[in-house]
Amino acid sequence: MSLYRHKPIPRLSEAVVANGLIFMAGQVPRNEAADAREQTADVLAQIDELLAELGSDKSKIVDATIYLADLADYAAMNEAWDAWVAAGHPPARATVEARLANPAWKVEIKIVAQS
C-alpha cells in the first residue's frame, strides 16, 4: 500500500494519498468576513490548488462532504458550487449543518479524489 502525507503538521496533514485516492482535510475559508457564497468559492479555490499540487483536479473528485454552519446558507453555497463543479463529473455529495470550529466560518468542505 502506498501512503503519502501532503503538508503535514503535528495535528493533521492537508491531504493523505493512499492507493491512488486523495483524502483531503476539511478546507475552510481564508476570508472570514465574506458571505457564504464567497467563502465557498474561496474554499473551492483552495481545493483546486491542493489537487493541482497532487497531480489531480476537480474532475477526479469522487466524494464531497460539505459542512454548513447554517443551512440557511445552502442556496448561496450551491451558487458557488454549481459554478465550480466539473461539468459532467459531479461527485457524490452530502451537505450537513454543523457547528464549525471557528464561528466566523460559514462552510467547510472535505473531499476524496483520485490522484
Side-chain angles (χ1 to χ4, degrees):
M1 176 172 126
S2 65
L3 184 72
Y4 166 69
R5 297 180 194 284
H6 187 66
K7 295 186 174 179
I9 59 173
R11 179 169 288 154
L12 58 89
S13 294
E14 282 298 320
V16 174
V17 182
N19 289 335
L21 288 176
I22 299 166
F23 298 87
M24 195 174 290
Q27 299 300 301
V28 296
R30 294 173 279 214
N31 183 353
E32 297 176 356
D35 65 18
R37 186 189 57 72
E38 292 168 342
Q39 283 195 8
T40 301
D42 176 43
V43 169
L44 296 172
Q46 291 177 64
I47 289 170
D48 280 336
E49 292 167 14
L50 279 168
L51 288 171
E53 290 171 10
L54 294 166
S56 189
D57 64 67
K58 64 186 172 185
S59 72
K60 296 179 181 178
I61 296 174
V62 296
D63 182 64
T65 304
I66 301 171
Y67 303 95
L68 290 175
D70 187 341
L71 280 177
D73 289 327
Y74 186 74
M77 176 275 299
N78 272 326
E79 284 180 35
W81 176 270
D82 291 344
W84 173 82
V85 73
H89 301 280
R93 190 185 101 170
T95 304
V96 298
E97 184 177 66
R99 184 181 301 165
L100 303 181
N102 180 334
W105 297 340
K106 298 179 184 328
V107 63
E108 181 171 349
I109 301 177
K110 182 170 179 18
I111 64 106
V112 177
Q114 284 185 314
S115 57

